[in-house]
Structures are given as C-alpha cells and as structure tokens.
C-alpha cells in the first residue's frame, strides 16, 4: 500500500503514535508525514518499556530508515522544532532524515502570546487551547498575513511580513488587552537565529512525496488532533484551527486524493477529550474516574487531565463517513477489563427525538443524551493477549459489536501501550 493515512476518530489522543509504530513494524515505511496542526499534538510510542513523545515531529521519526516530513499544512514553531529535535538527539535518536516544507507557516512567539490573551479574555467561554499559538498562526495564514518557512531566508521580505502581521495585532494587544506592543526587531532577531539550522531541511515536500509515490515508495500520513476537533467537521467552535480529517491530508501535503489507498481511523474503546466543548458520553461518576485512572488519561502535551466517557458509536459512524475510513484501530481495550457491563452509546436522544446519526447543528449536539446498550464485560487482564482468539469471549464480542455499529472493519486492537501489545483482527 503506497499511501496510508492514520487519523484520530474522536477528540484526539486515541493512540495515533502507537498506530504509526504498529504499521512501521509490520511493513517498510519510507516517509512519515505530518500535514496539519503543530506542536499542540502529543503522540506516544513505548518501545521496550521506554516512552517517547513527539509533538511537532511525526512519531515516525523513531522509525529507523524512514524520512520524516513536515508538510505545507503544518504550522511550525522553529523554537519548538529545535527543542524537540535536541531532546530526541539526547536520547540517541537519529533525526538526520527530516524535511520541512518551504510553504509551511511559521508560529512566532507572538502567536502564542495572542493565543493566551484571547483565551483569558474569553473567560468561561474559552476553548481550552494548548496555548501554543496554533489558532493565531492559522488565522494569519487565512488572513494572508502569515509568514512561511521560505520567507525566513529573505531578510527584507521577512521584515515586511512581520511588520504586516504585527501592525493590527499591536493595536489590539495595547488597546483591547492592555498589553505591551511586540517589537518587530526582537521578533526578527529570534527568527533569524533559526535560519542556518533550518536551511538544509527545507524542500518542496509536495514534489518529494509525489515523486516517491510514483516510484512505488510507501508514504504514511500521520494525522494529528482528530475528526471531532476538525475546524469544519468537529464540535465548532470547540475545535482546533486546521482540517484534521482525511481531506486535510491532501491540502496539507499537495498529494491528490486518488493517490490514497487506505485511511485508518484510530479510536479508543471508550472516549476522552481535553479542553472545553460538548461530550455526550462524558462521565462524572466513579466510572469516569476509573477510566481516567486505569487509562492514565493525562495529556502528553499540556499535562491536563482528560475528560472520560463511554464509547460513542454515533461518533464512530460519523468519523467513518467524513473520512471515508477503510479500517479502525481500536486502542486501550485493556482499560475496560473489570466492568460487569460496559455501556456503549448507540444513538442520541435530543429533545425527545432519537438520532442515529450526528445531528446537523451544534445546538442539538449540546443537547444530545446518549442512548446506551449494555455489553457484557470481562474480568481477565488482556494485556498479554497477542491474537484475537486469546481474548476472553466477552472482549471478542465487545470488539465485534463495536465493529458492527461503527460502520468500519476493525483492523487491529490495542491491549497495552507497548509496541508488542497489539493484535490484528482482520489482515
Ligand atoms: P495520540 O495523540 O493519538 O498519539 O495519543 P497519545 O499518545 O496522546 O495518547 C495515547 C496514550 O495511550 C499514550 O499514553 C499511549 O501510550 C497509550 N496507549 C496507546 N494504545 C494503548 C493501548 O492499547 N492500551 C493502553 N493501555 N494504552 C495505550
Ligand atoms: P493529538 O495529536 C487532544 C485540543 C485542545 C483544545 C482544542 C484547541 O495528540 O491527538 P489548539 O491549541 O489546537 O488551538 O486547541 O484542541 N487539542 C487536542 N486534544 N489531542 C490533541 O492532539 C490536541 N490538539 C489540540 O485541548 O481543546
Ligand atoms: Mg496526543
């Protein structure tokens, strides 16, 4: 399979890093590509008990022999990029094969300043962003006030662009938020300090990836964030500022949809969410606490607790549809051991009406009450299972029931964070 997409089917943190690692250990991956978001992501891989987390880089940087690509759709903080690279090098990871698109947009320090003051201003209506400047950088891109990686190599263009970008922001910072204006020279000095180190990494990533696909190489697009955080298809406005769905892979890389062979949605056997926004199956009782505790549900990027709830098949069906999923990778099944019955949301009740599909409006989604089906639980520790047949019968039935109600075949199941803790259901 030459072009494969891995993406999040819920609200993020489903185990996309683990899915990338699983594919990379079962077949040769030549390129691993990030196409949207920035260092708001946190992807975990556990190899021989050793834990690695990547943020701006694809977790595929840990796959020996593959080239990592940060494509045009990503927003790049050079400061975060070099910090992440340095910490991987310190741990002995070879990071030499890294390509950054000339067209990717730059996150400068003022983007995260604007992100934080905007959130503070919103008060109880805040989005709960990661504060990394993602939204303001994408806003500049769409407003045609952005700085692209290629601009860093032209001193006079960069000055003009930074001046243009800061002009309105400084008025707003000073007059609305009562903050000190940001100095153009200080921003330029910081950005210039990255230029020499960045230069050898920069390339036309669309040309590179299309050429690779024409040569029969395998390209893995490692999604960040997730379907329900997508700026078009997620729970707007409680979303990130990019297209995390499969379509975003094409715009974010310059690879056309006809080149993509397989779209794998990663989905937890229950649901979590970080930040604000609606979440129909959220639990506020001891079950939620148990999922949080057993699942270790603390954010990799910000250290915030994740909100926890039961599996939502309406979301799974929606993710199958808007992404054209070919496979699901069901993670964290091991966390569900030791419940007598496991509730699964099969539909919503909204103002007295049953909805099998995602409602059309966010107002309805805010009012959605989950309709649960109770599936039989299991007590055994399944973290040592390596084949589907080794799972207790009720765990097998749980997987098959989810497959039936989610609209997509379940390719593999995760039974622990470790590289070896996955089992393939359908080849
Ligand atoms: P990502 O952002 O989608 O890559 O996911 P994160 O790395 O943010 O969060 C997933 C967490 O679950 C990480 O701590 C993983 O190590 C862990 N994890 C992934 N798959 C499994 C699994 O099957 N079982 C368990 N127990 N943990 C898993
Ligand atoms: P990975 O790739 C979970 C959430 C934030 C916030 C909203 C907007 O690890 O799954 P932003 O900083 O992007 O403007 O924040 O999106 N968010 C994530 N939640 N996993 C992520 O990435 C996320 N990236 C952003 O918590 O609610
Ligand atoms: Mg994550």
């Amino acid at each position: 399979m030459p072009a494969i997409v891995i993406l999040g089917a819920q609200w993020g943190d489903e185990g996309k890093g683990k899915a990338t690692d699983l594919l990379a250990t079962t077949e040769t991956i030549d390129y691993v590509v990030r196409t949207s978001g920035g260092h708001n992501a946190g992807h975990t891989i556990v190899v021989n008990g050793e834990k690695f987390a990547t943020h701006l880089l694809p977790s595929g940087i840990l796959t020996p022999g593959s080239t990592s690509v940060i494509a045009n759709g990503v927003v790049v903080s050079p400061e975060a990029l070099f910090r992440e690279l340095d910490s991987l090098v310190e741990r002995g990871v070879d990071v030499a094969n890294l390509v950054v698109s000339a067209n990717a947009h730059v996150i400068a320090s003022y983007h995260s300043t604007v992100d934080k003051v905007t959130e503070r201003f919103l008060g109880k209506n805040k989005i709960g962003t990661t504060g990394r400047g993602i939204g303001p950088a994408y806003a500049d891109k769409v407003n045609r006030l952005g700085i692209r990686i290629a601009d860093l190599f032209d001193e006079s263009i960069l000055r003009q662009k930074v001046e243009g970008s800061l002009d309105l922001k400084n008025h707003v910072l000073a007059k609305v938020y009562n903050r000190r204006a940001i100095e153009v020279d200080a921003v330029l000095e910081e950005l210039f300090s990255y230029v020499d180190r960045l230069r050898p990494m920069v390339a036309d990533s669309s040309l590179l990836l299309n050429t690779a696909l024409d040569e029969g190489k395998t390209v893995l697009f490692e999604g960040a964030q997730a379907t329900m955080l997508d700026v078009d298809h997620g729970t707007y406005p409680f979303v990130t500022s990019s297209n995390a769905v499969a379509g975003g892979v094409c715009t974010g890389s310059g690879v056309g949809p006809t080149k993509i062979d397989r779209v794998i949605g990663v989905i937890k056997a229950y649901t979590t969410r970080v930040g604000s926004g609606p979440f129909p199956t959220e639990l506020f009782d001891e079950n939620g606490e148990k999922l949080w505790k057993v699942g270790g549900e603390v954010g990799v990027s910000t250290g915030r607790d994740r909100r926890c709830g039961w599996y939502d098949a309406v979301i799974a069906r929606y993710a199958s549809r808007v992404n054209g999923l070919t496979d699901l990778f069901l993670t964290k099944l091991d966390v569900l051991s030791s419940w007598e019955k496991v509730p699964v949301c099969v539909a919503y009740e909204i103002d007295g009406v049953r909805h099998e599909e995602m409602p059309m409006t966010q107002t309805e989604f805010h009012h959605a009450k989950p309709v649960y089906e109770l599936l039989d639980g299991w007590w055994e520790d399944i973290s040592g299972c390596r084949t589907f047949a080794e799972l207790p019968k009720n765990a097998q039935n749980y997987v098959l029931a989810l497959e039936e109600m989610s609209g997509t075949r379940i390719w593999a199941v995760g039974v622990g964070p470790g590289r070896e803790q996955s089992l393939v259901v359908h080849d």
Side-chain angles (χ1 to χ4, degrees):
M1 286 277 187
I4 306 166
V5 174
I6 283 175
L7 55 81
Q10 296 161 318
W11 276 289
D13 306 325
E14 298 90 349
K16 296 177 289 292
K18 185 177 160 86
T20 297
D21 192 51
L22 175 61
L23 269 183
T25 47
T26 50
E27 52 191 288
T28 305
I29 305 290
D30 299 296
Y31 293 87
V32 188
V33 189
R34 277 282 306 270
T35 60
S36 64
H39 62 305
N40 48 349
H43 296 182
T44 317
I45 290 188
V46 180
V47 187
N48 301 328
E50 207 186 337
K51 194 166 173 170
F52 291 90
T54 60
H55 300 279
L56 175 57
L57 296 164
S59 59
I61 193 121
L62 299 162
T63 307
S66 76
T67 298
S68 292
V69 179
I70 294 178
N72 59 278
V74 178
V75 281
V76 179
S77 155
E79 186 270 327
L81 173 67
F82 294 134
R83 192 162 23 91
E84 192 171 339
L85 283 171
D86 290 343
S87 75
L88 288 172
V89 169
E90 250 172 52
R91 296 181 66 183
V93 178
D94 177 6
V95 297
N97 295 331
L98 172 65
V99 172
V100 179
S101 166
N103 286 348
H105 278 248
V106 172
I107 300 184
S109 52
Y110 55 82
H111 289 118
S112 76
T113 305
V114 171
D115 195 352
K116 287 175 191 149
V117 293
T118 314
E119 281 282 274
R120 207 166 304 145
F121 191 74
L122 284 171
K124 69 174 179 34
N125 295 324
K126 69 177 182 190
I127 308 295
T129 71
T130 59
R132 306 275 155 94
I134 307 296
Y138 278 117
D140 274 1
K141 173 177 173 174
V142 175
N143 275 332
R144 292 156 293 186
L145 287 172
I147 295 160
R148 306 215 278 191
I149 292 288
D151 298 328
L152 298 178
F153 306 110
D154 185 324
E155 222 172 305
S156 75
I157 286 281
L158 185 63
R159 176 173 285 279
Q160 275 176 39
K161 293 205 169 182
V162 171
E163 281 171 354
S165 179
L166 283 178
D167 193 16
L168 179 63
K169 281 185 196 71
N170 273 336
H171 283 293
V172 174
L173 280 172
K175 290 175 191 153
V176 178
Y177 297 119
N178 209 16
R179 303 272 299 215
R180 204 177 303 143
I182 291 158
E183 285 174 30
V184 172
D185 283 336
V187 172
L188 287 172
E189 194 182 332
E190 191 196 343
L191 292 178
F192 284 139
S193 73
Y194 304 124
V195 164
D196 288 340
R197 194 167 171 196
L198 202 51
R199 201 185 303 268
M201 301 172 187
V202 178
D204 177 343
S205 55
S206 166
L207 179 62
L208 176 80
L209 294 171
N210 280 286
T211 306
L213 286 167
D214 288 344
E215 289 169 354
K217 301 253 168 65
T218 300
V219 176
L220 175 59
F221 295 99
E222 180 179 324
Q225 289 74 57
T227 305
M228 299 303 283
L229 288 172
D230 180 277
V231 68
D232 282 279
H233 300 283
T235 47
Y236 191 89
F238 300 102
V239 293
T240 191
S241 299
S242 63
N243 283 115
V245 296
V249 167
C250 297
T251 52
S253 69
V255 171
T258 52
K259 300 275 175 70
I260 292 168
D261 303 276
R262 194 174 169 198
V263 184
I264 303 169
V266 187
I267 195 157
K268 273 181 197 171
Y270 51 99
T271 312
T272 63
R273 165 162 215 177
V274 200
S276 321
F279 178 178
T281 62
E282 183 169 14
L283 293 164
F284 300 96
D285 60 5
E286 64 281 6
N287 288 313
E289 196 149 320
K290 189 168 154 189
L291 286 173
W292 171 79
K293 202 167 174 188
V294 180
E297 295 297 351
V298 176
V300 181
S301 273
T302 58
R304 290 179 292 174
D305 286 345
R306 297 176 184 145
R307 301 154 62 192
C308 297
W310 300 122
Y311 187 83
D312 186 334
V314 182
I315 287 178
R317 288 197 291 275
Y318 180 68
S320 295
R321 165 158 58 94
V322 300
N323 294 298
L325 297 182
T326 57
D327 304 72
L328 282 170
F329 178 32
L330 185 74
T331 58
K332 298 197 127 176
L333 186 66
D334 52 301
V335 175
L336 293 182
S337 292
S338 87
W339 263 279
E340 182 76 40
K341 294 278 180 189
V342 188
V344 169
C345 170
V346 293
Y348 300 141
E349 195 203 289
I350 304 168
D351 303 328
V353 179
R354 186 183 166 104
H355 287 246
E356 305 281 336
E357 295 294 336
M358 186 63 67
M360 189 175 75
T361 68
Q362 282 304 304
T363 306
E364 291 170 293
F365 191 65
H366 275 261
H367 295 166
K369 304 238 172 345
V371 177
Y372 286 118
E373 200 172 291
L374 297 184
L375 302 183
D376 291 330
W378 60 95
W379 296 92
E380 299 87 336
D381 174 2
I382 60 169
S383 60
C385 295
R386 294 294 173 268
T387 64
F388 187 67
E390 283 173 56
L391 290 175
K393 201 70 200 155
N394 284 351
Q396 290 186 20
N397 288 342
Y398 184 80
V399 174
L400 296 176
L402 262 43
E403 179 167 78
E404 179 75 29
M405 57 180 80
S406 302
T408 303
R409 72 171 198 154
I410 293 177
W411 157 59
V413 173
V415 293
R419 170 177 279 177
E420 67 294 344
Q421 290 177 297
S422 300
L423 46 96
V424 173
V425 183
H426 301 289
D427 261 326

